[in-house]
Amino acid sequence: MGRGGKGKGQPREWAEVTKYDHFERDVKVCTPSSIPSEVEAAIKEAALLGVDFEWKSKCPIAVVSVVTQAEPPSVLLVRVHTAEDEPRKLPDFLEKHFRSMDVTKAIGGFWHPKRNDPRQLEETFGLKYEDLPGFVGLANMAKDKGLHETSLLGIAKHLGWNVKKDKELTTSDWEADELSEAQKQYAADDVWFTLQCYLKLKDYTPPPPALTVPKFIKLKDINPESKGVNVKVKCTRAAEPVEGAGVLKEAVCGDDTGCVTLSLRGEAAAAVCTLGSSLRVQNAHSKMIKGHIRLVIDQWAIVKTTPEPHEFEVNEKNDISATEYELVQE
């Protein structure tokens, strides 16, 4: 055996290391009573905050993450960790901002009274959903902008960031005496990219839908079950009424591989089917009439004249509608 347990001559497998985007500035971890004065001042002045929470359901504990647009940026992790008999209280200035309509609070996920964060805020701190104006859910914004992804990871990826969310860290011990460096990075990334995604989504304009280029086929390829037929044809017999069929009219059109009878539903379709006209037919379908193919132009199909005449000569010898079919019973 060669090194690494591979058989002799077998190439070793290499995988590219995935690179993630991270918040790379200062992360301040504190309790409600030890928040640095300069950080408190920056938050008090902010009209926009990125906010995130790490909850622990088995006891009244939360890590409240906050970031502003101040330079240089820093993330504040407030460890709200109380015993059962102690009052559960956010720092006064934070609660005031949370209650303020004048301060926008960007938060991950959907902001809705039945979602986890609003429920936990009420259960833990007594803050009711209706008392918390100004919270904006990233998922709500993404949905309104037409994005399919509404998770922070999906939104960030759509906007050009590769953010890592480790499930082990999500469920890790947030009430430990000291947060690990990995926990700090996880919480900082969450709140930082929540704010950054909000700023980009606010001015985001979805790209226009990609135009679908229709695929055109030749008449020789039509069969009794054909649907969504797109063909370029010349009219060799103008539209004429079908006896006993009311407003239904028929015209004969062809390309260089054959010709077919068009079944026209509507005056607009019949009007363009004049002798010698070059036409574009889209989304037509086959219908069998007494064992013969008719190419139906109904309300879901299009027949229009083309800007330039088709250069081909119509092959009238191969009449698709002249061929008789019978249904084979299995």
Side-chain angles (χ1 to χ4, degrees), residues 273-301:
C273 292
T274 57
L275 184 63
S277 61
S278 290
L279 304 170
R280 169 173 57 88
V281 174
Q282 289 179 239
N283 203 35
H285 68 274
S286 295
K287 183 175 182 178
M288 301 305 293
I289 305 295
K290 296 180 180 180
H292 296 271
I293 291 177
R294 294 291 186 271
L295 194 60
V296 178
I297 312 296
D298 57 15
Q299 65 265 41
W300 293 285

Side-chain angles (χ1 to χ4, degrees), residues 9-150:
Q10 292 184 5
R12 292 179 292 179
E13 295 181 5
W14 293 84
E16 185 177 342
V17 176
T18 303
K19 293 184 178 180
Y20 295 100
D21 293 297
H22 291 291
F23 177 74
E24 298 178 345
R25 299 294 186 91
D26 191 25
V27 180
K28 300 182 186 300
V29 182
C30 57
T31 63
S33 61
S34 65
I35 297 174
S37 58
E38 70 276 11
V39 176
E40 181 176 338
I43 293 174
K44 285 180 175 179
E45 293 177 5
L48 170 63
L49 300 175
V51 179
D52 189 50
F53 303 96
E54 306 298 341
W55 302 101
K56 193 77 171 180
S57 59
K58 68 180 182 180
C59 61
I61 171 180
V63 174
V64 183
S65 311
V66 182
V67 66
T68 70
Q69 293 178 278
E71 286 292 341
S74 64
V75 167
L76 174 67
L77 305 183
V78 184
R79 304 199 67 194
V80 182
H81 183 183
T82 61
E84 289 286 356
D85 58 344
E86 292 179 348
R88 309 174 194 179
K89 190 78 169 64
L90 286 171
D92 288 341
F93 73 94
L94 263 188
E95 181 172 328
K96 183 179 179 181
H97 263 26
F98 284 4
R99 290 179 179 274
S100 174
M101 187 179 293
D102 299 325
V103 180
T104 301
K105 284 78 64 173
I107 189 168
F110 285 98
W111 183 252
H112 185 276
K114 293 185 178 180
R115 293 288 176 162
N116 186 55
D117 284 334
R119 285 192 297 104
Q120 291 277 24
L121 281 167
E122 181 172 357
E123 291 172 12
T124 306
F125 303 116
L127 299 175
K128 295 182 180 295
Y129 177 82
E130 55 269 24
D131 297 331
L132 299 171
F135 275 86
V136 180
L138 282 189
N140 301 76
M141 292 182 73
K143 187 176 180 181
D144 291 343
K145 295 283 187 175
L147 272 64
H148 297 296
E149 289 286 350
T150 55

